[in-house]
Amino acid sequence: MRTVVMTTPPLGPRGLRIMWGSSEGAIPAKSGYPPPAATPSPASVWAPADNSAPEPIGSLQKHYENLCMEKSQKINPFVLHILQEVDEEIEKGLEGITLNIAGNNHLIPVERVTGEDFWILSRVLEKNPYINGLDVRYNFLGDVGAYYAAKLLQKQYSLIYLNLMFNDIGPEGGELIAKVLHKNTTLKYLRMTGNKIENKGGMFFATMLQINSSLEKLDLGDCDLGMQSVIAFATVLTQNQTIKGINLNRPILYGEEEESTVHLGHMLKENHCLVELHMCKHDIRNYGIKHLCDALYLNKSLRYLDVSCNEITRDGMVFLADVLKSNTTLEVIDLSFNRIENTGAKYLSETLASHNRSLKALSVVSNNIEGEGLVALSQSLKTNPTFSNIYIWGNKFDEATCVAYSDLIQTGCLKPDNTDVEPFVVDGRVYLAEVSNGLKKHYYWTPTYGEACYHSANAGFNLVQATLFLCVWRGPTSSHILDQEETQKKPKGCPGNGRAEDPDFPAAIMSYKPPPPYIRTPF
Protein backbone atom coordinates (compact mmCIF):
# COMPACT_ATOMS: atom_id res chain seq x y z
CA MET A 1 0.00 0.00 0.00
CA ARG A 2 1.31 3.40 -0.89
CA THR A 3 2.53 5.51 2.01
CA VAL A 4 1.13 9.00 2.02
CA VAL A 5 1.91 12.15 3.96
CA MET A 6 -0.72 12.60 6.62
CA THR A 7 -0.25 16.30 7.16
CA THR A 8 -3.31 18.31 7.96
CA PRO A 9 -5.49 20.28 5.68
CA PRO A 10 -4.96 23.85 6.91
CA LEU A 11 -7.96 24.95 8.84
CA GLY A 12 -10.12 27.64 7.44
CA PRO A 13 -10.78 30.53 9.75
CA ARG A 14 -11.31 28.92 13.11
CA GLY A 15 -11.77 25.54 11.58
CA LEU A 16 -14.06 26.68 8.78
CA ARG A 17 -13.99 26.22 5.05
CA ILE A 18 -16.21 28.14 2.67
CA MET A 19 -17.71 26.77 -0.52
CA TRP A 20 -18.82 28.67 -3.59
CA GLY A 21 -16.36 31.43 -2.68
CA SER A 22 -13.06 32.80 -3.83
CA SER A 23 -9.88 33.94 -2.18
CA GLU A 24 -10.64 37.54 -2.93
CA GLY A 25 -12.42 39.86 -0.59
CA ALA A 26 -11.52 37.95 2.55
CA ILE A 27 -12.37 39.42 5.94
CA PRO A 28 -9.37 40.75 7.87
CA ALA A 29 -7.69 38.17 10.10
CA LYS A 30 -8.16 37.92 13.84
CA SER A 31 -6.26 35.93 16.47
CA GLY A 32 -3.93 34.44 13.90
CA TYR A 33 -6.72 32.80 11.91
CA PRO A 34 -7.38 34.46 8.54
CA PRO A 35 -11.14 34.50 7.94
CA PRO A 36 -12.78 33.07 4.82
CA ALA A 37 -14.21 34.73 1.77
CA ALA A 38 -17.90 35.48 1.92
CA THR A 39 -20.29 33.47 -0.20
CA PRO A 40 -21.70 34.98 -3.38
CA SER A 41 -25.04 36.65 -3.33
CA PRO A 42 -27.10 34.21 -5.46
CA ALA A 43 -29.24 31.88 -3.35
CA SER A 44 -27.58 28.53 -2.76
CA VAL A 45 -29.19 25.13 -2.53
CA TRP A 46 -29.42 25.30 1.26
CA ALA A 47 -31.31 28.60 1.26
CA PRO A 48 -35.04 28.61 2.02
CA ALA A 49 -37.32 28.23 -0.98
CA ASP A 50 -38.68 31.73 -0.58
CA ASN A 51 -35.15 33.22 -0.44
CA SER A 52 -35.76 34.45 3.09
CA ALA A 53 -32.94 34.50 5.63
CA PRO A 54 -32.48 31.37 7.76
CA GLU A 55 -34.18 31.36 11.13
CA PRO A 56 -31.94 32.47 14.01
CA ILE A 57 -30.52 29.59 16.02
CA GLY A 58 -29.06 29.33 19.49
CA SER A 59 -25.37 29.15 20.30
CA LEU A 60 -23.76 25.99 18.92
CA GLN A 61 -21.13 26.16 21.64
CA LYS A 62 -23.72 26.29 24.43
CA HIS A 63 -25.77 23.54 22.81
CA TYR A 64 -22.68 21.33 22.61
CA GLU A 65 -21.70 21.97 26.24
CA ASN A 66 -25.23 21.28 27.47
CA LEU A 67 -25.50 18.02 25.54
CA CYS A 68 -22.13 16.83 26.85
CA MET A 69 -23.20 17.52 30.40
CA GLU A 70 -26.59 15.89 29.88
CA LYS A 71 -25.06 12.72 28.40
CA SER A 72 -21.99 12.64 30.69
CA GLN A 73 -19.75 12.98 27.67
CA LYS A 74 -16.28 14.51 27.92
CA ILE A 75 -16.11 17.86 26.11
CA ASN A 76 -13.72 17.80 23.16
CA PRO A 77 -11.84 21.13 23.39
CA PHE A 78 -11.03 21.17 19.68
CA VAL A 79 -14.68 20.79 18.70
CA LEU A 80 -15.70 23.35 21.32
CA HIS A 81 -13.22 25.90 19.99
CA ILE A 82 -14.45 25.49 16.43
CA LEU A 83 -18.12 25.78 17.40
CA GLN A 84 -17.37 28.91 19.38
CA GLU A 85 -15.82 30.55 16.35
CA VAL A 86 -18.67 29.36 14.12
CA ASP A 87 -21.08 31.18 16.42
CA GLU A 88 -19.13 34.38 15.86
CA GLU A 89 -19.24 33.96 12.09
CA ILE A 90 -22.96 33.23 12.12
CA GLU A 91 -23.54 36.41 14.11
CA LYS A 92 -21.82 38.28 11.28
CA GLY A 93 -24.34 36.85 8.82
CA LEU A 94 -22.02 34.33 7.16
CA GLU A 95 -23.78 31.39 5.48
CA GLY A 96 -22.67 28.30 3.60
CA ILE A 97 -20.11 27.28 6.22
CA THR A 98 -18.19 24.01 6.07
CA LEU A 99 -16.90 22.86 9.45
CA ASN A 100 -13.34 21.55 9.24
CA ILE A 101 -12.68 19.20 12.14
CA ALA A 102 -9.74 17.36 10.57
CA GLY A 103 -8.11 15.00 13.05
CA ASN A 104 -4.63 15.30 11.57
CA ASN A 105 -4.16 18.98 12.29
CA HIS A 106 -0.59 19.56 13.42
CA LEU A 107 -0.91 23.30 13.96
CA ILE A 108 -3.30 23.51 16.88
CA PRO A 109 -4.22 21.17 19.77
CA VAL A 110 -6.37 18.33 18.44
CA GLU A 111 -8.21 15.61 20.31
CA ARG A 112 -9.48 13.31 17.60
CA VAL A 113 -13.20 12.84 17.30
CA THR A 114 -14.54 9.39 18.21
CA GLY A 115 -17.88 7.89 17.29
CA GLU A 116 -19.32 9.03 20.61
CA ASP A 117 -18.00 12.56 20.10
CA PHE A 118 -19.64 12.62 16.71
CA TRP A 119 -22.94 11.56 18.26
CA ILE A 120 -22.98 14.81 20.25
CA LEU A 121 -21.76 16.86 17.28
CA SER A 122 -24.46 15.47 15.02
CA ARG A 123 -27.11 16.48 17.54
CA VAL A 124 -25.69 20.01 17.58
CA LEU A 125 -25.72 20.33 13.80
CA GLU A 126 -29.21 18.96 13.20
CA LYS A 127 -31.34 21.31 11.11
CA ASN A 128 -28.76 24.08 11.26
CA PRO A 129 -29.32 26.18 8.12
CA TYR A 130 -25.91 27.85 8.25
CA ILE A 131 -23.83 24.67 7.96
CA ASN A 132 -23.73 23.13 4.49
CA GLY A 133 -20.53 21.10 4.72
CA LEU A 134 -18.76 18.91 7.27
CA ASP A 135 -15.15 17.72 7.03
CA VAL A 136 -14.14 15.21 9.71
CA ARG A 137 -11.30 13.45 7.87
CA TYR A 138 -8.63 11.50 9.78
CA ASN A 139 -10.58 10.90 12.97
CA PHE A 140 -11.75 7.76 14.80
CA LEU A 141 -15.45 7.73 13.90
CA GLY A 142 -15.62 4.04 13.04
CA ASP A 143 -18.95 2.35 12.35
CA VAL A 144 -20.45 4.11 15.37
CA GLY A 145 -19.71 7.49 13.85
CA ALA A 146 -21.02 6.26 10.51
CA TYR A 147 -24.34 5.45 12.18
CA TYR A 148 -24.64 9.00 13.53
CA ALA A 149 -23.47 10.44 10.19
CA ALA A 150 -26.38 8.58 8.61
CA LYS A 151 -28.72 10.02 11.23
CA LEU A 152 -27.38 13.49 10.48
CA LEU A 153 -28.04 13.05 6.77
CA GLN A 154 -31.63 12.18 7.64
CA LYS A 155 -32.20 15.33 9.66
CA GLN A 156 -29.83 17.95 8.21
CA TYR A 157 -31.46 19.27 5.05
CA SER A 158 -28.76 21.80 4.16
CA LEU A 159 -25.72 19.48 4.12
CA ILE A 160 -24.28 19.26 0.60
CA TYR A 161 -20.68 18.17 1.38
CA LEU A 162 -19.54 15.41 3.74
CA ASN A 163 -15.92 14.26 4.08
CA LEU A 164 -15.42 11.05 6.09
CA MET A 165 -11.97 10.30 4.66
CA PHE A 166 -9.86 7.78 6.65
CA ASN A 167 -12.13 7.22 9.63
CA ASP A 168 -11.90 3.45 10.16
CA ILE A 169 -15.39 2.94 8.78
CA GLY A 170 -16.03 -0.67 7.77
CA PRO A 171 -18.62 -2.48 5.64
CA GLU A 172 -21.39 -2.07 8.24
CA GLY A 173 -20.83 1.67 8.49
CA GLY A 174 -20.71 1.95 4.71
CA GLU A 175 -24.02 0.14 4.49
CA LEU A 176 -25.65 2.60 6.90
CA ILE A 177 -24.49 5.65 4.95
CA ALA A 178 -25.38 4.16 1.57
CA LYS A 179 -28.90 3.23 2.67
CA VAL A 180 -29.68 6.65 4.11
CA LEU A 181 -28.75 8.20 0.75
CA HIS A 182 -31.66 6.36 -0.87
CA LYS A 183 -33.93 9.14 0.39
CA ASN A 184 -31.48 12.02 0.81
CA THR A 185 -31.93 14.73 -1.84
CA THR A 186 -29.46 17.38 -0.67
CA LEU A 187 -25.98 15.83 -0.43
CA LYS A 188 -23.89 16.59 -3.54
CA TYR A 189 -20.39 15.39 -2.67
CA LEU A 190 -19.38 12.46 -0.44
CA ARG A 191 -15.79 11.42 0.31
CA MET A 192 -15.36 7.95 1.80
CA THR A 193 -11.69 7.72 0.80
CA GLY A 194 -9.62 5.22 2.77
CA ASN A 195 -12.47 3.61 4.71
CA LYS A 196 -12.30 -0.14 4.20
CA ILE A 197 -15.92 -0.74 3.28
CA GLU A 198 -14.74 -3.57 1.01
CA ASN A 199 -16.80 -5.30 -1.64
CA LYS A 200 -19.85 -5.57 0.60
CA GLY A 201 -20.00 -1.84 1.30
CA GLY A 202 -19.28 -1.06 -2.33
CA MET A 203 -22.31 -3.07 -3.42
CA PHE A 204 -24.54 -0.99 -1.15
CA PHE A 205 -23.21 2.22 -2.69
CA ALA A 206 -23.76 0.85 -6.18
CA THR A 207 -27.34 0.03 -5.23
CA MET A 208 -27.74 3.53 -3.84
CA LEU A 209 -26.78 5.06 -7.19
CA GLN A 210 -29.73 3.27 -8.77
CA ILE A 211 -32.06 5.23 -6.48
CA ASN A 212 -30.36 8.50 -5.54
CA SER A 213 -30.75 11.29 -8.09
CA SER A 214 -28.99 14.17 -6.34
CA LEU A 215 -25.43 13.02 -5.51
CA GLU A 216 -22.98 14.49 -8.03
CA LYS A 217 -19.56 13.33 -6.85
CA LEU A 218 -18.59 10.16 -5.00
CA ASP A 219 -15.08 9.24 -3.84
CA LEU A 220 -14.54 5.58 -2.94
CA GLY A 221 -10.79 5.50 -3.52
CA ASP A 222 -8.71 3.15 -1.35
CA CYS A 223 -11.84 1.51 0.04
CA ASP A 224 -10.81 -2.07 -0.86
CA LEU A 225 -13.62 -2.45 -3.36
CA GLY A 226 -13.76 -5.84 -5.07
CA MET A 227 -14.25 -6.85 -8.69
CA GLN A 228 -17.97 -7.41 -8.11
CA SER A 229 -18.60 -3.92 -6.78
CA VAL A 230 -16.50 -2.22 -9.49
CA ILE A 231 -18.51 -4.02 -12.17
CA ALA A 232 -21.69 -3.06 -10.31
CA PHE A 233 -20.70 0.62 -10.45
CA ALA A 234 -19.96 0.31 -14.16
CA THR A 235 -23.38 -1.23 -14.72
CA VAL A 236 -25.27 1.32 -12.63
CA LEU A 237 -23.53 4.28 -14.25
CA THR A 238 -24.86 3.30 -17.66
CA GLN A 239 -28.23 4.52 -16.35
CA ASN A 240 -27.36 7.10 -13.68
CA GLN A 241 -27.53 10.59 -15.21
CA THR A 242 -26.59 12.57 -12.09
CA ILE A 243 -23.08 11.50 -11.09
CA LYS A 244 -20.50 13.83 -12.63
CA GLY A 245 -17.40 12.53 -10.85
CA ILE A 246 -16.48 9.15 -9.39
CA ASN A 247 -13.27 7.86 -7.84
CA LEU A 248 -12.74 4.09 -7.83
CA ASN A 249 -9.00 4.13 -7.11
CA ARG A 250 -7.14 1.04 -5.91
CA PRO A 251 -9.74 -1.73 -5.84
CA ILE A 252 -8.69 -5.23 -4.82
CA LEU A 253 -8.67 -7.09 -8.15
CA TYR A 254 -7.61 -10.58 -9.11
CA GLY A 255 -7.00 -11.99 -12.56
CA GLU A 256 -5.24 -10.87 -15.70
CA GLU A 257 -8.20 -10.19 -18.02
CA GLU A 258 -8.83 -6.55 -16.98
CA GLU A 259 -12.52 -7.33 -16.61
CA SER A 260 -13.27 -4.22 -14.54
CA THR A 261 -11.64 -1.95 -17.14
CA VAL A 262 -13.64 -3.56 -19.93
CA HIS A 263 -16.89 -2.93 -18.03
CA LEU A 264 -15.96 0.68 -17.28
CA GLY A 265 -15.16 1.16 -20.96
CA HIS A 266 -18.60 -0.13 -21.88
CA MET A 267 -20.09 2.27 -19.33
CA LEU A 268 -18.37 5.23 -21.00
CA LYS A 269 -20.06 4.32 -24.29
CA GLU A 270 -23.49 4.59 -22.63
CA ASN A 271 -22.96 7.36 -20.08
CA HIS A 272 -23.06 10.94 -21.36
CA CYS A 273 -23.01 12.81 -18.04
CA LEU A 274 -19.82 11.65 -16.32
CA VAL A 275 -17.17 14.37 -16.34
CA GLU A 276 -14.47 12.93 -14.09
CA LEU A 277 -13.28 9.30 -13.81
CA HIS A 278 -10.42 8.12 -11.58
CA MET A 279 -9.04 4.62 -12.22
CA CYS A 280 -5.73 4.76 -10.41
CA LYS A 281 -4.15 1.36 -9.54
CA HIS A 282 -6.58 -0.72 -11.61
CA ASP A 283 -3.87 -2.91 -13.15
CA ILE A 284 -4.70 -1.42 -16.56
CA ARG A 285 -2.48 -2.65 -19.36
CA ASN A 286 -2.53 -1.97 -23.09
CA TYR A 287 -5.57 -4.19 -23.61
CA GLY A 288 -7.50 -2.17 -21.03
CA ILE A 289 -6.48 1.24 -22.35
CA LYS A 290 -7.58 0.10 -25.81
CA HIS A 291 -11.10 -0.58 -24.49
CA LEU A 292 -11.20 2.81 -22.76
CA CYS A 293 -10.06 4.56 -25.95
CA ASP A 294 -12.66 2.71 -28.03
CA ALA A 295 -15.30 4.11 -25.67
CA LEU A 296 -13.90 7.64 -25.91
CA TYR A 297 -14.72 7.74 -29.63
CA LEU A 298 -18.40 7.71 -28.58
CA ASN A 299 -18.27 9.50 -25.23
CA LYS A 300 -18.80 13.27 -25.42
CA SER A 301 -18.87 14.23 -21.74
CA LEU A 302 -15.69 12.93 -20.02
CA ARG A 303 -13.20 15.73 -19.42
CA TYR A 304 -10.84 14.26 -16.80
CA LEU A 305 -9.41 10.73 -17.16
CA ASP A 306 -7.08 9.47 -14.44
CA VAL A 307 -5.29 6.21 -15.29
CA SER A 308 -2.18 6.84 -13.18
CA CYS A 309 -0.27 4.08 -11.37
CA ASN A 310 -1.11 1.37 -13.88
CA GLU A 311 0.91 -0.77 -16.32
CA ILE A 312 0.35 1.08 -19.58
CA THR A 313 3.29 1.05 -21.99
CA ARG A 314 4.22 2.75 -25.24
CA ASP A 315 1.94 0.43 -27.26
CA GLY A 316 -1.07 1.73 -25.34
CA MET A 317 -0.23 5.27 -26.42
CA VAL A 318 -1.00 4.32 -30.03
CA PHE A 319 -4.69 3.98 -29.07
CA LEU A 320 -4.74 7.11 -26.90
CA ALA A 321 -3.00 9.27 -29.49
CA ASP A 322 -5.41 8.08 -32.15
CA VAL A 323 -8.55 8.83 -30.14
CA LEU A 324 -7.23 12.29 -29.24
CA LYS A 325 -7.27 13.16 -32.93
CA SER A 326 -11.06 13.08 -32.93
CA ASN A 327 -12.08 13.49 -29.27
CA THR A 328 -12.88 17.12 -28.47
CA THR A 329 -13.98 16.86 -24.83
CA LEU A 330 -11.02 15.41 -22.89
CA GLU A 331 -9.18 18.23 -21.12
CA VAL A 332 -7.06 16.47 -18.49
CA ILE A 333 -5.26 13.13 -18.73
CA ASP A 334 -3.18 11.70 -15.89
CA LEU A 335 -0.70 9.04 -17.06
CA SER A 336 1.62 9.36 -14.06
CA PHE A 337 3.54 6.27 -12.95
CA ASN A 338 3.10 4.18 -16.09
CA ARG A 339 5.82 3.32 -18.61
CA ILE A 340 5.15 5.01 -21.93
CA GLU A 341 8.84 5.80 -22.59
CA ASN A 342 10.13 7.85 -25.52
CA THR A 343 8.02 6.17 -28.15
CA GLY A 344 4.76 6.74 -26.28
CA ALA A 345 5.67 10.37 -25.61
CA LYS A 346 6.30 10.89 -29.33
CA TYR A 347 2.91 9.43 -30.25
CA LEU A 348 1.23 11.90 -27.92
CA SER A 349 3.34 14.88 -29.00
CA GLU A 350 2.54 14.33 -32.68
CA THR A 351 -1.19 14.30 -31.98
CA LEU A 352 -1.05 17.33 -29.68
CA ALA A 353 1.04 19.31 -32.13
CA SER A 354 -1.05 18.75 -35.23
CA HIS A 355 -4.54 17.45 -34.41
CA ASN A 356 -5.89 17.85 -30.89
CA ARG A 357 -6.97 21.29 -29.67
CA SER A 358 -8.99 20.37 -26.58
CA LEU A 359 -6.49 18.81 -24.14
CA LYS A 360 -5.30 21.31 -21.55
CA ALA A 361 -3.23 19.25 -19.13
CA LEU A 362 -1.12 16.10 -19.34
CA SER A 363 0.86 14.40 -16.58
CA VAL A 364 3.57 11.92 -17.57
CA VAL A 365 5.37 11.91 -14.22
CA SER A 366 7.67 8.89 -13.74
CA ASN A 367 7.14 7.24 -17.13
CA ASN A 368 10.74 6.32 -17.98
CA ILE A 369 10.83 9.02 -20.67
CA GLU A 370 14.25 10.23 -21.74
CA GLY A 371 15.36 13.48 -23.33
CA GLU A 372 14.14 12.69 -26.84
CA GLY A 373 10.55 12.12 -25.75
CA LEU A 374 10.49 15.03 -23.30
CA VAL A 375 11.78 17.44 -25.94
CA ALA A 376 9.11 16.20 -28.37
CA LEU A 377 6.41 17.00 -25.81
CA SER A 378 7.91 20.45 -25.28
CA GLN A 379 7.59 21.16 -29.01
CA SER A 380 3.84 20.48 -28.92
CA LEU A 381 3.48 23.24 -26.30
CA LYS A 382 4.83 25.74 -28.82
CA THR A 383 2.31 24.92 -31.55
CA ASN A 384 -0.79 24.04 -29.49
CA PRO A 385 -2.38 27.13 -27.88
CA THR A 386 -4.81 25.05 -25.76
CA PHE A 387 -2.23 22.69 -24.27
CA SER A 388 -1.11 24.66 -21.22
CA ASN A 389 -0.14 22.25 -18.38
CA ILE A 390 2.48 19.51 -18.45
CA TYR A 391 4.05 17.57 -15.57
CA ILE A 392 7.26 15.63 -16.27
CA TRP A 393 9.14 15.12 -13.01
CA GLY A 394 10.53 11.64 -12.35
CA ASN A 395 11.74 11.05 -15.91
CA LYS A 396 15.31 11.08 -17.25
CA PHE A 397 16.39 14.65 -17.91
CA ASP A 398 19.33 15.43 -20.16
CA GLU A 399 20.75 18.84 -21.02
CA ALA A 400 18.50 19.23 -24.09
CA THR A 401 15.42 18.61 -21.91
CA CYS A 402 16.50 21.18 -19.34
CA VAL A 403 17.18 23.80 -22.00
CA ALA A 404 13.90 23.10 -23.83
CA TYR A 405 11.69 23.56 -20.75
CA SER A 406 13.72 26.52 -19.53
CA ASP A 407 13.12 28.22 -22.88
CA LEU A 408 9.39 27.43 -22.70
CA ILE A 409 9.11 29.09 -19.30
CA GLN A 410 11.24 32.10 -20.22
CA THR A 411 9.33 32.76 -23.45
CA GLY A 412 5.94 32.45 -21.75
CA CYS A 413 4.82 29.36 -23.68
CA LEU A 414 4.67 27.51 -20.35
CA LYS A 415 3.69 29.32 -17.18
CA PRO A 416 5.67 28.41 -14.04
CA ASP A 417 2.46 27.46 -12.21
CA ASN A 418 1.51 25.03 -14.98
CA THR A 419 4.40 22.60 -14.61
CA ASP A 420 6.23 20.74 -11.86
CA VAL A 421 9.77 21.80 -12.81
CA GLU A 422 11.72 25.01 -12.45
CA PRO A 423 14.99 25.82 -14.23
CA PHE A 424 18.13 26.94 -12.46
CA VAL A 425 21.69 27.48 -13.65
CA VAL A 426 24.92 26.16 -12.13
CA ASP A 427 28.26 26.94 -13.74
CA GLY A 428 26.55 28.00 -16.92
CA ARG A 429 24.54 24.78 -17.29
CA VAL A 430 20.73 24.61 -17.00
CA TYR A 431 19.10 22.11 -14.65
CA LEU A 432 15.50 21.43 -13.60
CA ALA A 433 14.28 21.31 -10.01
CA GLU A 434 10.96 19.93 -8.77
CA VAL A 435 8.24 22.30 -7.58
CA SER A 436 5.06 21.35 -5.76
CA ASN A 437 2.64 21.65 -8.67
CA GLY A 438 0.48 18.90 -10.14
CA LEU A 439 -2.96 17.67 -11.11
CA LYS A 440 -3.96 16.47 -7.64
CA LYS A 441 -1.04 17.17 -5.34
CA HIS A 442 -3.26 17.58 -2.30
CA TYR A 443 -5.56 14.62 -2.74
CA TYR A 444 -4.37 12.91 0.46
CA TRP A 445 -2.70 15.79 2.25
CA THR A 446 -2.45 19.55 2.21
CA PRO A 447 0.32 21.94 3.26
CA THR A 448 0.50 23.34 6.75
CA TYR A 449 0.48 26.89 5.43
CA GLY A 450 -0.76 28.73 2.37
CA GLU A 451 -3.72 27.91 0.17
CA ALA A 452 -4.67 24.22 0.29
CA CYS A 453 -6.81 24.56 -2.81
CA TYR A 454 -4.22 26.60 -4.69
CA HIS A 455 -4.81 26.07 -8.40
CA SER A 456 -1.24 25.13 -9.33
CA ALA A 457 -1.14 22.19 -6.91
CA ASN A 458 -4.57 20.87 -7.89
CA ALA A 459 -4.74 21.86 -11.53
CA GLY A 460 -6.81 18.86 -12.58
CA PHE A 461 -9.67 19.74 -10.26
CA ASN A 462 -9.47 23.41 -11.14
CA LEU A 463 -9.45 22.89 -14.90
CA VAL A 464 -12.34 20.45 -14.67
CA GLN A 465 -14.82 21.23 -11.94
CA ALA A 466 -17.03 18.14 -11.90
CA THR A 467 -19.15 19.72 -9.20
CA LEU A 468 -19.87 23.32 -8.29
CA PHE A 469 -17.75 23.22 -5.16
CA LEU A 470 -14.97 25.75 -4.81
CA CYS A 471 -13.07 25.54 -1.54
CA VAL A 472 -11.21 28.42 0.00
CA TRP A 473 -8.85 27.45 2.82
CA ARG A 474 -6.99 29.63 5.24
CA GLY A 475 -4.27 28.21 7.43
CA PRO A 476 -3.69 29.07 11.09
CA THR A 477 -0.44 30.81 11.89
CA SER A 478 0.29 29.22 15.25
CA SER A 479 2.05 25.88 15.59
CA HIS A 480 1.56 23.15 18.14
CA ILE A 481 3.16 19.78 18.69
CA LEU A 482 0.51 17.24 19.61
CA ASP A 483 0.81 15.73 23.03
CA GLN A 484 0.37 12.04 22.36
CA GLU A 485 -1.08 11.24 25.76
CA GLU A 486 -3.60 14.07 25.65
CA THR A 487 -4.55 13.35 22.04
CA GLN A 488 -5.27 9.72 22.82
CA LYS A 489 -7.49 10.21 25.87
CA LYS A 490 -10.75 8.36 25.65
CA PRO A 491 -13.87 10.38 26.49
CA LYS A 492 -15.65 9.55 29.71
CA GLY A 493 -18.57 7.25 29.37
CA CYS A 494 -17.19 5.43 26.29
CA PRO A 495 -17.92 3.05 24.85
CA GLY A 496 -21.70 3.00 24.90
CA ASN A 497 -22.89 6.56 25.47
CA GLY A 498 -26.05 7.12 23.54
CA ARG A 499 -26.34 3.59 22.18
CA ALA A 500 -28.44 2.05 24.91
CA GLU A 501 -31.06 4.77 24.60
CA ASP A 502 -31.26 4.50 20.81
CA PRO A 503 -33.34 1.43 19.88
CA ASP A 504 -32.45 1.82 16.19
CA PHE A 505 -28.72 1.38 16.78
CA PRO A 506 -27.58 -1.62 14.72
CA ALA A 507 -26.73 -4.68 16.78
CA ALA A 508 -23.80 -5.40 14.45
CA ILE A 509 -21.83 -2.47 15.84
CA MET A 510 -23.01 -2.48 19.45
CA SER A 511 -19.71 -4.09 20.40
CA TYR A 512 -17.61 -1.55 18.52
CA LYS A 513 -14.41 -0.43 20.23
CA PRO A 514 -12.38 2.57 19.09
CA PRO A 515 -9.17 1.59 17.26
CA PRO A 516 -5.88 1.53 19.16
CA PRO A 517 -4.78 5.13 19.71
CA TYR A 518 -1.95 6.34 17.57
CA ILE A 519 -0.79 9.46 15.80
CA ARG A 520 -0.33 9.37 12.06
CA THR A 521 2.92 11.00 11.10
CA PRO A 522 4.48 11.97 7.77
CA PHE A 523 6.72 9.34 6.18
Side-chain angles (χ1 to χ4, degrees), residues 487-509:
T487 303
Q488 297 173 359
K489 281 184 179 179
K490 187 170 72 173
K492 295 179 180 178
C494 295
N497 260 355
R499 302 183 202 171
E501 57 189 65
D502 191 341
D504 296 328
F505 199 93
I509 55 177

Side-chain angles (χ1 to χ4, degrees), residues 18 24 52 94 113 145 187 226 242 300 325 430 446 483 520:
I18 303 302
E24 298 178 357
S52 60
L94 191 66
V113 177
L187 192 69
T242 308
K300 302 301 180 185
K325 293 177 182 179
V430 180
T446 45
D483 183 289
R520 297 179 175 94

